Amino acid sequence: MLIRHGITAFVALLSLSLIIFLLHLYKPNNASATGLIDSFSAGSVHPCPDQLEWLKPLDLTYPIRYAQRDIVVKPTPGVKRLSLTKVSAPLFPNFETIDLTDTSKAQLHNCKEPLFLDVPQFPKDVDASHISIGISTTIQRLEDSIPSLLRWLKNTHARFYVIIIENDKMPEDAKEAFHPAEPKRIADVQKRMRDSGIDVTIVQPLTKHDYFSQRYFSLVRVMYNHRDPKTQWFALADDDTFFLSMSSLIDTLSAFNTSQPHYIGALSEDWWSVTRYGLMAFGGAGIFLSLPLAEAIDANYDDCQERSHTSAGDIRLRECIYWHTQTKLTHLRALHQVDIDKDLSGLYESGHPILSLHHWKGRGPDGKGYHLPTMHLVADICGGTCFLQRWQFGKDMVLTNGFSIATYPKGHLKGMEVDKMEETWGKPSVVEGSFNHGTDHSLGPTRPKLALGEEKVQYLLLDSAVTESGVRQTYFRSGAEGELDTVLDLHWVDRAEAVVPG
């Protein structure tokens, strides 16, 4: 009898093991933009924290509606970043009301175990030593830009050149207004940046009285004269240009033969600007010149400086290239000048691959812009391509990582053309007689803007901070009249750092 029971138990255990193995074998990672991936939760990181001290500095008005979830990230070979990845389960538990007016302790009742998400593998170390990047700015603007530069330049081995002058204006007859920054301050800033992991060289203008466009153009000569045997690319940018993923940028440039001349960049999103300034790479999005093209520009440097009378550095560069070479612009749509304004949710929430963003300090619904260094923190946990990646949870919630969480209460997500950008930005300038409605060439095809609060409920990133084991994001929506404000917390944890209690 004991033997029979033992055999029965063994067979049952063997059957259960086989079922688990088959479920694991056929569990899809993420097959397509319309396919589902199963949510997999196991164990717990902090499923129901009773201390919410991170909310205290955020100046919230209590009570609030609240929900939170831990996400454990698993970089997985073969997983690709899709426009939209669907997860069958909901992201958050039910909301509950909490009041932290006089305390940081809350008794949460609605909690979910951590969600495990597969993300594309990403390199921990990036070697961009074959790329030289140059900007022209003032010493104060450079200091102000250090936090954002650290997000994408730190420890990449890219060589960074900065032309500094204190006056960034362009007076016609006041050359005496141009004066260099104080040398000790320059040395201090350069040392601080180098100690932080940025291979920076700060230089004075090649010609003392160069105005802005001349200094910008002279970056090519500065970088070309500092080239070494590794150098293949020269990039020009602004102090408010933000590259989201240096590894993705390197992969993109690797598709080009660097023994040939290449002029790579992006048109303005605004058709009026394109028709006025021409088919050229707009500087804030980032301009990339291969070594042979930079050599040709340097050989004709004096002629280009003398012939051009434009006040814009990127136009001066385009003129020189078109005057002296056969090279034409290669347009990269993933580079963004961001010559649009007001609500830029449609761009940030698009799910499209984005290599660069410009004007992030001042372009936004309130004129204050979007704080990319804070938004981008999550890239440390899940990689640069994971930032602004979209996941759909359940039937009506979309997370755009680092920007927003949106729900669609009237079912608008079903049947929505999610690969098209929602046209949330301000109306562009009209070009008389043009059939381009303003952004067709750059951001199209688009879909109409949804009514916030009715067709789309949006929770924007309020804060992001590094924790002992990952990055915590806080998303916020102000309540309508008579309603409570809502706070949603996501804690992103590297699987290697996750501690799952037994």
Side-chain angles (χ1 to χ4, degrees), residues 366-408:
D366 56 2
K368 296 180 180 179
Y370 301 98
H371 198 260
L372 279 177
T374 300
M375 295 162 60
H376 191 258
L377 285 176
V378 73
D380 292 345
I381 304 301
C382 60
T385 61
C386 177
F387 174 54
L388 299 184
Q389 183 175 353
R390 297 189 303 179
W391 282 272
Q392 177 183 333
F393 293 93
K395 296 181 179 180
D396 67 352
M397 177 175 284
V398 175
L399 163 68
T400 301
N401 191 11
F403 183 78
S404 71
I405 297 169
T407 61
Y408 299 84

Side-chain angles (χ1 to χ4, degrees), residues 96-134:
E96 47 192 312
T97 301
I98 63 171
D99 191 338
L100 303 183
T101 303
D102 301 313
T103 181
S104 62
K105 189 172 184 178
Q107 187 67 44
L108 299 180
H109 304 284
N110 302 331
C111 303
K112 282 183 175 291
E113 291 184 338
L115 176 69
F116 283 67
L117 280 184
D118 292 339
V119 299
Q121 279 192 313
F122 59 95
K124 295 292 185 179
D125 299 310
V126 174
D127 184 6
S129 57
H130 60 302
I131 303 174
S132 293
I133 303 170

Side-chain angles (χ1 to χ4, degrees), residues 23 195 219 373 476 481 491:
L23 286 173
D195 290 345
L219 283 165
F476 175 82
E481 187 175 353
H491 187 209

Side-chain angles (χ1 to χ4, degrees), residues 46 54-55 66-72 90-93 112-115 117 378 381 389 391 393 397-406 459 461 463-467 470-476 487-493:
H46 295 291
W54 58 86
L55 295 178
Y66 182 75
Q68 65 88 35
R69 187 81 181 271
D70 291 312
I71 296 180
V72 179
L91 177 56
F92 291 105
K112 282 183 175 291
E113 291 184 338
L115 176 69
L117 280 184
V378 73
I381 304 301
Q389 183 175 353
W391 282 272
F393 293 93
M397 177 175 284
V398 175
L399 163 68
T400 301
N401 191 11
F403 183 78
S404 71
I405 297 169
Y459 307 83
L461 186 77
D463 188 47
S464 184
V466 176
T467 69
V471 169
R472 188 183 308 280
Q473 299 172 332
T474 299
Y475 296 85
F476 175 82
V487 172
L488 300 173
D489 269 341
L490 288 177
H491 187 209
W492 294 79
V493 181

Side-chain angles (χ1 to χ4, degrees), residues 46 50 59 89 108 142 161 172 177 236 254 262 269 284 315-316 319 329:
H46 295 291
D50 58 359
D59 195 26
L108 299 180
L142 179 61
Y161 296 91
E172 295 294 332
L236 292 89
S254 68
H262 294 290
E269 293 86 357
I315 296 178
R316 183 177 291 261
E319 287 176 337
L329 175 66

Side-chain angles (χ1 to χ4, degrees), residues 211-247:
Y211 52 83
F212 179 78
S213 71
Q214 292 172 319
R215 297 199 308 271
Y216 184 94
F217 179 73
S218 70
L219 283 165
V220 180
R221 169 156 283 186
V222 168
M223 293 188 288
Y224 184 75
N225 288 343
H226 284 83
R227 71 193 183 282
D228 65 19
K230 289 184 178 180
T231 308
Q232 297 178 350
W233 292 101
F234 302 91
L236 292 89
D238 289 348
D239 56 25
D240 59 346
T241 302
F242 195 104
F243 291 101
L244 277 59
S245 169
M246 283 297 283
S247 61

